[in-house]
Amino acid sequence: MQIRTLLAGSALLALLAGCATGPSGGPGGAAVEPDEERYQGTLPCRNCDGIDLDVLMRGDEQAAAAERTFELNASYRGHPQSPPDETYAGNWEVLSGTANEPDATVYELTPDGEGQIYYFLRLDPQTLELIDPERRRFQNSEMLQLKRQ
């Protein structure tokens, strides 16, 4: 099962169903280097108890493009088909603004090879929120947030 399908389905589910999930208990205690930021959270899932996301971003906004890398890991909780965890890696860019917030910071995560491009709105230094490719927030967006660890 592809994460892009599940993310799109999860976002639509959040929009239509309005169900809530709790914060991720994800792997904690891992040391993070000063030029690394780790964000974790649980997205809603129609067929499971949630999709645990762990995003590690390396480099900073002023670094060369090749130095801005990420790893995204997705684990499915309580899925009846027990799909394997999915891992994506690639580079990230900083985009300026959204339609409603022209000064907002948006991170564009582009996986190497095949894979969907992910967009995260930086709400504050501790919170990222999954947004759509048009850089619009979803309804019930609090369910799509990752917290810095």
Side-chain angles (χ1 to χ4, degrees):
M1 193 171 290
Q2 295 290 331
I3 190 166
R4 63 179 171 249
T5 303
L6 285 174
L7 286 176
S10 295
L12 182 59
L13 177 66
L15 180 69
L16 298 175
C19 24
T21 61
S24 170
V32 176
E33 297 296 320
D35 64 342
E36 295 181 343
E37 294 182 3
R38 180 180 300 276
Y39 295 88
Q40 296 176 331
T42 302
L43 301 181
C45 177
R46 183 178 10 182
N47 297 325
C48 66
D49 297 333
I51 304 168
D52 293 329
L53 280 188
D54 181 354
V55 178
L56 178 63
M57 296 173 61
R58 293 185 182 92
D60 62 39
E61 294 181 14
Q62 290 75 37
E67 296 174 10
R68 292 189 309 267
T69 63
F70 77 92
E71 292 177 22
L72 184 147
N73 297 299
S75 300
Y76 304 91
R77 282 199 266 147
H79 195 285
Q81 297 174 344
S82 301
D85 292 352
E86 295 181 20
T87 301
Y88 298 92
N91 293 87
W92 60 273
E93 294 287 334
V94 180
L95 305 177
S96 295
T98 65
N100 295 330
E101 301 173 61
D103 295 328
T105 298
V106 174
Y107 297 124
E108 178 184 68
L109 283 63
T110 305
D112 295 333
E114 289 188 30
Q116 175 182 332
I117 297 173
Y118 302 95
Y119 297 88
F120 288 98
L121 173 64
R122 185 178 186 109
L123 297 178
D124 58 53
Q126 301 300 318
T127 312
L128 297 183
E129 180 181 301
L130 182 68
I131 59 175
D132 77 11
E134 299 297 318
R135 294 192 247 169
R136 296 176 300 205
R137 296 176 78 180
F138 293 103
Q139 196 172 27
N140 297 328
S141 57
E142 66 278 355
M143 296 170 43
L144 303 172
Q145 293 179 3
L146 307 179
K147 295 293 183 180
R148 189 170 179 183
Q149 302 299 307

